[in-house]
Amino acid sequence: MAAPARRLCHVAFHVPTGQPLARDLQRLFGFQPWAAREAGGWRQLALRSGDAVFLVNEGAGPREPLYGLDPRHAVPSATNLCFDVADAGAAARALAAKGSCVLVPPVRVQDALGAATYTVVSSPAGNLSLTLLERTGYRGPFLPGFRPLSSKTGPGWFSHVDHLTLACTRGSSPTLMRWFHDCLGFHHLPLSPGEDPELGFEVTAGSGQGGLRLTALQTRPCSAVPTLVLAESLPGAASGPDQVQQFLARHRGPGLQHVGLYTPNITEATEGVTLAGGRLLIPPKAYYQLGSDVPCPAAGSRPLGESGAGQGTSDPSCRS
């Protein structure tokens, strides 16, 4: 593999000035401001709940925001995943050799608490870019160049990111699976016994109603890297576009469709989000009606946030 991912550092959003994403993450989901940076027309705010970190890049400046880039995408969205790697420079060279475009060559950032090096590369998933970060030895709370904010903690409903789901075009999952395997060290995680990695796991919505094909990937068991789920629509005469088709149409291609957050108490988290004004969605009936011998990716749970929730997880949408 070119650059094995060791940990998810953060998920980055790009939104226009005045878009209330950061406020909603605090008010609806209990995330707390952790570190901030304002420079070059950008306001960058890192928000945290447990080990789950979202970096909201707000505005648009003449230069790229630190640790990422401006995708210049028409729809505000989650457009970047930042992973810790052992050597950012070597990672950039290795991924370039495998055909990835290095969008931001390795950059070293330093402050009084240490230094970090990062590079940004393209991915095969539409507008989603990847930041590969080398920060061994940095002693600050977040990253060089950011000032720490209050350490006051909020409700603490969520402990970490459980999974990341990419909306994919039909038939593209095998290609994406091989790319994430070769470049970042992900391996197929079967969702049903004897599952063919090329075919994935089908969640149908009934006869003639279409459904989803899911392919799960992980780096290794008990890893600090979340599970990656590739989701694509199944052929079928559905009454309307499903969530993947809606995402592809609105975002004009593939991308990060939702983030699954792990909560140790889904009842408490559900009540907290509801009382704060969060909107809960009801998943398709067939999603929870599989045989007991098949480990449904969301079995035994209740939905929370802007998408269906896995067991012990809640999924606020990354669609802003």
Side-chain angles (χ1 to χ4, degrees):
M1 65 196 75
R6 304 197 302 184
R7 187 181 188 87
L8 177 69
C9 176
H10 61 259
V11 178
F13 296 79
H14 284 77
V15 299
T17 301
Q19 212 272 354
L21 175 61
R23 182 194 67 197
D24 289 346
L25 287 171
Q26 297 177 65
R27 181 175 63 88
L28 300 179
F29 297 103
F31 278 71
Q32 294 299 306
W34 188 29
R37 175 181 180 270
E38 294 189 31
W42 292 96
R43 179 176 184 267
Q44 297 180 269
L45 177 64
L47 302 104
R48 178 182 183 182
S49 178
D51 288 334
V53 180
F54 290 153
L55 176 60
V56 179
N57 298 312
E58 182 179 326
R63 295 185 178 180
E64 304 292 3
L66 205 57
Y67 302 102
L69 76 164
D70 181 3
R72 296 171 179 83
H73 191 58
V75 180
S77 182
T79 57
N80 178 274
L81 300 177
C82 180
F83 292 104
D84 283 331
V85 296
D87 186 325
R93 293 189 295 272
L95 266 68
K98 288 184 174 293
S100 296
C101 179
V102 178
L103 304 171
V104 178
V107 177
R108 179 179 168 87
V109 184
Q110 186 170 357
D111 62 20
L113 297 176
T117 301
Y118 75 93
T119 185
V120 184
V121 299
S122 63
S123 84
N127 69 336
L128 184 67
S129 64
L130 303 174
T131 294
L132 305 179
L133 174 70
E134 176 190 343
R135 57 174 176 176
T136 304
Y138 181 67
R139 304 182 304 278
F142 182 52
L143 291 171
F146 282 75
R147 58 181 175 86
L149 300 177
S150 171
S151 59
K152 180 178 66 175
T153 59
W157 295 322
F158 310 112
S159 61
H160 62 276
V161 175
D162 177 82
H163 62 273
L164 303 158
T165 296
L166 306 185
C168 308
T169 55
R170 191 172 295 161
S172 67
S173 293
T175 299
L176 268 66
M177 179 179 63
R178 286 188 287 271
W179 188 92
F180 279 101
H181 172 271
D182 294 344
C183 292
L184 296 180
F186 282 85
H187 300 273
H188 176 236
L189 173 63
L191 296 176
S192 63
E195 177 183 318
D196 185 338
E198 296 290 316
L199 300 178
F201 177 71
E202 294 186 0
V203 180
T204 59
S207 178
Q209 295 300 308
L212 299 178
R213 184 188 310 279
L214 306 177
T215 305
L217 310 172
Q218 66 177 9
T219 53
R220 62 186 185 277
C222 302
S223 169
V225 178
T227 298
L228 189 66
V229 181
L230 310 177
E232 59 178 74
S233 298
L234 291 173
S239 58
D242 59 38
Q243 57 180 303
V244 170
Q245 292 171 321
Q246 291 175 13
F247 182 96
L248 295 175
R250 184 164 186 255
H251 292 256
R252 304 174 192 173
L256 182 60
Q257 193 262 352
H258 76 259
V259 175
L261 296 173
Y262 185 90
T263 175
N265 189 327
I266 198 167
T267 301
E268 179 184 0
T270 301
E271 293 173 349
V273 172
T274 302
L275 290 174
R279 182 168 62 97
L280 307 185
L281 298 184
I282 299 175
K285 291 182 180 180
Y287 204 67
Y288 297 102
Q289 295 177 349
L290 302 177
S292 58
D293 60 331
V294 178
C296 175
S301 66
R302 302 195 318 181
L304 175 61
E306 292 288 322
S307 186
Q311 185 171 8
T313 68
S314 93
D315 293 2
S317 171
C318 283
R319 292 166 289 175
S320 42

